[in-house]
mmCIF file of all heavy atoms in Angstrom:
data_model
loop_
_atom_site.group_PDB
_atom_site.id
_atom_site.type_symbol
_atom_site.label_atom_id
_atom_site.label_comp_id
_atom_site.label_asym_id
_atom_site.label_seq_id
_atom_site.Cartn_x
_atom_site.Cartn_y
_atom_site.Cartn_z
ATOM 1 N N GLY A 17 19.937 5.766 -5.469
ATOM 2 C CA GLY A 17 20.569 6.057 -6.751
ATOM 3 C C GLY A 17 20.673 7.518 -7.074
ATOM 4 O O GLY A 17 21.161 8.316 -6.276
ATOM 5 N N SER A 18 20.148 7.872 -8.245
ATOM 6 C CA SER A 18 20.360 9.234 -8.736
ATOM 7 C C SER A 18 19.571 10.264 -7.931
ATOM 8 O O SER A 18 19.983 11.415 -7.810
ATOM 9 C CB SER A 18 19.964 9.301 -10.208
ATOM 10 O OG SER A 18 18.658 9.798 -10.333
ATOM 11 N N GLY A 19 18.449 9.860 -7.393
ATOM 12 C CA GLY A 19 17.724 10.759 -6.505
ATOM 13 C C GLY A 19 16.969 11.876 -7.193
ATOM 14 O O GLY A 19 16.808 12.958 -6.634
ATOM 15 N N SER A 20 16.461 11.617 -8.389
ATOM 16 C CA SER A 20 15.707 12.693 -9.040
ATOM 17 C C SER A 20 14.380 12.946 -8.318
ATOM 18 O O SER A 20 13.914 14.079 -8.231
ATOM 19 C CB SER A 20 15.480 12.392 -10.524
ATOM 20 O OG SER A 20 14.606 11.313 -10.702
ATOM 21 N N ASN A 21 13.769 11.900 -7.773
ATOM 22 C CA ASN A 21 12.560 12.116 -6.958
ATOM 23 C C ASN A 21 12.904 12.862 -5.680
ATOM 24 O O ASN A 21 12.153 13.736 -5.240
ATOM 25 C CB ASN A 21 11.893 10.782 -6.618
ATOM 26 C CG ASN A 21 11.019 10.293 -7.748
ATOM 27 O OD1 ASN A 21 9.914 10.792 -7.936
ATOM 28 N ND2 ASN A 21 11.524 9.350 -8.524
ATOM 29 N N LEU A 22 14.031 12.520 -5.100
ATOM 30 C CA LEU A 22 14.489 13.254 -3.917
ATOM 31 C C LEU A 22 14.611 14.739 -4.242
ATOM 32 O O LEU A 22 14.182 15.604 -3.475
ATOM 33 C CB LEU A 22 15.850 12.696 -3.462
ATOM 34 C CG LEU A 22 16.584 13.551 -2.441
ATOM 35 C CD1 LEU A 22 15.843 13.584 -1.112
ATOM 36 C CD2 LEU A 22 18.017 13.045 -2.245
ATOM 37 N N ALA A 94 12.368 6.761 -1.921
ATOM 38 C CA ALA A 94 12.456 7.414 -3.231
ATOM 39 C C ALA A 94 13.550 6.714 -4.025
ATOM 40 O O ALA A 94 14.698 7.164 -4.070
ATOM 41 C CB ALA A 94 12.757 8.904 -3.053
ATOM 42 N N GLY A 95 13.181 5.575 -4.608
ATOM 43 C CA GLY A 95 14.187 4.794 -5.331
ATOM 44 C C GLY A 95 15.125 4.094 -4.372
ATOM 45 O O GLY A 95 16.325 3.996 -4.623
ATOM 46 N N PHE A 96 14.580 3.600 -3.269
ATOM 47 C CA PHE A 96 15.397 2.870 -2.290
ATOM 48 C C PHE A 96 15.331 1.395 -2.660
ATOM 49 O O PHE A 96 14.280 0.760 -2.542
ATOM 50 C CB PHE A 96 14.868 3.103 -0.871
ATOM 51 C CG PHE A 96 15.768 2.536 0.191
ATOM 52 C CD1 PHE A 96 17.064 3.013 0.336
ATOM 53 C CD2 PHE A 96 15.322 1.535 1.038
ATOM 54 C CE1 PHE A 96 17.911 2.496 1.311
ATOM 55 C CE2 PHE A 96 16.160 1.013 2.017
ATOM 56 C CZ PHE A 96 17.445 1.497 2.155
ATOM 57 N N MET A 97 16.452 0.877 -3.175
ATOM 58 C CA MET A 97 16.437 -0.433 -3.834
ATOM 59 C C MET A 97 16.798 -1.572 -2.877
ATOM 60 O O MET A 97 17.704 -2.367 -3.148
ATOM 61 C CB MET A 97 17.401 -0.413 -5.032
ATOM 62 C CG MET A 97 17.078 0.652 -6.062
ATOM 63 S SD MET A 97 15.404 0.494 -6.731
ATOM 64 C CE MET A 97 15.659 -0.885 -7.831
ATOM 65 N N ASN A 114 5.967 4.789 -0.682
ATOM 66 C CA ASN A 114 6.870 4.381 -1.766
ATOM 67 C C ASN A 114 6.297 4.877 -3.084
ATOM 68 O O ASN A 114 5.083 5.048 -3.227
ATOM 69 C CB ASN A 114 7.000 2.859 -1.809
ATOM 70 C CG ASN A 114 8.010 2.408 -2.846
ATOM 71 O OD1 ASN A 114 9.080 3.015 -2.991
ATOM 72 N ND2 ASN A 114 7.689 1.369 -3.592
ATOM 73 N N ILE A 115 7.194 5.077 -4.041
ATOM 74 C CA ILE A 115 6.757 5.410 -5.402
ATOM 75 C C ILE A 115 7.221 4.293 -6.318
ATOM 76 O O ILE A 115 8.357 3.816 -6.216
ATOM 77 C CB ILE A 115 7.276 6.790 -5.845
ATOM 78 C CG1 ILE A 115 6.626 7.196 -7.162
ATOM 79 C CG2 ILE A 115 8.801 6.832 -5.949
ATOM 80 C CD1 ILE A 115 6.648 8.690 -7.416
ATOM 81 N N HIS A 116 6.312 3.854 -7.181
ATOM 82 C CA HIS A 116 6.623 2.712 -8.045
ATOM 83 C C HIS A 116 6.260 3.061 -9.484
ATOM 84 O O HIS A 116 5.157 3.562 -9.742
ATOM 85 C CB HIS A 116 5.840 1.477 -7.585
ATOM 86 C CG HIS A 116 6.158 0.274 -8.404
ATOM 87 N ND1 HIS A 116 7.312 -0.468 -8.228
ATOM 88 C CD2 HIS A 116 5.496 -0.313 -9.425
ATOM 89 C CE1 HIS A 116 7.333 -1.455 -9.107
ATOM 90 N NE2 HIS A 116 6.245 -1.383 -9.851
ATOM 91 N N PRO A 117 7.156 2.766 -10.443
ATOM 92 C CA PRO A 117 6.930 3.207 -11.821
ATOM 93 C C PRO A 117 6.018 2.279 -12.630
ATOM 94 O O PRO A 117 6.430 1.730 -13.663
ATOM 95 C CB PRO A 117 8.348 3.261 -12.405
ATOM 96 C CG PRO A 117 9.089 2.216 -11.660
ATOM 97 C CD PRO A 117 8.494 2.154 -10.274
ATOM 98 N N HIS A 129 8.807 -0.691 -17.356
ATOM 99 C CA HIS A 129 8.539 -0.012 -18.633
ATOM 100 C C HIS A 129 8.584 -1.012 -19.792
ATOM 101 O O HIS A 129 7.711 -1.023 -20.651
ATOM 102 C CB HIS A 129 9.537 1.131 -18.847
ATOM 103 C CG HIS A 129 9.631 2.035 -17.656
ATOM 104 N ND1 HIS A 129 8.538 2.678 -17.134
ATOM 105 C CD2 HIS A 129 10.680 2.373 -16.857
ATOM 106 C CE1 HIS A 129 8.898 3.395 -16.079
ATOM 107 N NE2 HIS A 129 10.195 3.216 -15.891
ATOM 108 N N VAL A 142 2.591 5.809 -12.928
ATOM 109 C CA VAL A 142 3.292 5.766 -11.653
ATOM 110 C C VAL A 142 2.266 5.711 -10.526
ATOM 111 O O VAL A 142 1.166 6.253 -10.652
ATOM 112 C CB VAL A 142 4.221 6.992 -11.509
ATOM 113 C CG1 VAL A 142 3.477 8.292 -11.731
ATOM 114 C CG2 VAL A 142 4.907 7.004 -10.145
ATOM 115 N N ARG A 178 8.923 9.322 -15.314
ATOM 116 C CA ARG A 178 9.725 10.054 -14.315
ATOM 117 C C ARG A 178 9.208 11.478 -14.137
ATOM 118 O O ARG A 178 9.114 11.986 -13.019
ATOM 119 C CB ARG A 178 11.196 10.059 -14.758
ATOM 120 C CG ARG A 178 12.235 10.354 -13.685
ATOM 121 C CD ARG A 178 12.317 9.304 -12.610
ATOM 122 N NE ARG A 178 12.650 7.990 -13.106
ATOM 123 C CZ ARG A 178 13.884 7.496 -13.198
ATOM 124 N NH1 ARG A 178 14.905 8.207 -12.836
ATOM 125 N NH2 ARG A 178 14.086 6.273 -13.634
ATOM 126 N N GLU A 181 6.354 11.294 -11.931
ATOM 127 C CA GLU A 181 6.764 10.983 -10.556
ATOM 128 C C GLU A 181 7.113 12.261 -9.808
ATOM 129 O O GLU A 181 6.724 12.456 -8.659
ATOM 130 C CB GLU A 181 7.990 10.061 -10.560
ATOM 131 C CG GLU A 181 7.715 8.689 -11.147
ATOM 132 C CD GLU A 181 8.907 7.748 -11.036
ATOM 133 O OE1 GLU A 181 9.859 8.042 -10.283
ATOM 134 O OE2 GLU A 181 8.880 6.713 -11.711
ATOM 135 N N HIS A 182 7.849 13.130 -10.500
ATOM 136 C CA HIS A 182 8.345 14.351 -9.844
ATOM 137 C C HIS A 182 7.208 15.298 -9.471
ATOM 138 O O HIS A 182 7.362 16.140 -8.595
ATOM 139 C CB HIS A 182 9.361 15.052 -10.742
ATOM 140 C CG HIS A 182 10.558 14.201 -11.030
ATOM 141 N ND1 HIS A 182 11.454 14.463 -12.035
ATOM 142 C CD2 HIS A 182 10.986 13.052 -10.432
ATOM 143 C CE1 HIS A 182 12.389 13.526 -12.045
ATOM 144 N NE2 HIS A 182 12.127 12.669 -11.091
HETATM 145 C C1 GRF B 301 11.894 5.781 -9.814
HETATM 146 O O1 GRF B 301 11.539 5.304 -11.074
HETATM 147 C C2 GRF B 301 10.922 5.301 -8.782
HETATM 148 O O2 GRF B 301 9.630 5.142 -9.272
HETATM 149 C C3 GRF B 301 11.512 3.954 -8.409
HETATM 150 O O3 GRF B 301 12.898 4.147 -8.430
HETATM 151 C C4 GRF B 301 13.222 5.193 -9.338
HETATM 152 C C5 GRF B 301 14.057 6.188 -8.600
HETATM 153 O O4 GRF B 301 14.583 7.174 -9.430
HETATM 154 N N1 GRF B 301 11.019 3.513 -7.121
HETATM 155 P P1 GRF B 301 15.361 8.428 -8.818
HETATM 156 O O5 GRF B 301 16.540 7.892 -8.039
HETATM 157 O O6 GRF B 301 14.403 9.167 -7.955
HETATM 158 O O7 GRF B 301 15.797 9.217 -10.000
#
Side-chain angles (χ1 to χ4, degrees):
S18 97
S20 68
N21 278 283
L22 167 67
F96 188 62
M97 302 302 284
N114 184 41
I115 189 158
H116 182 78
H129 310 303
V142 53
R178 199 65 60 92
E181 295 185 14
H182 299 165

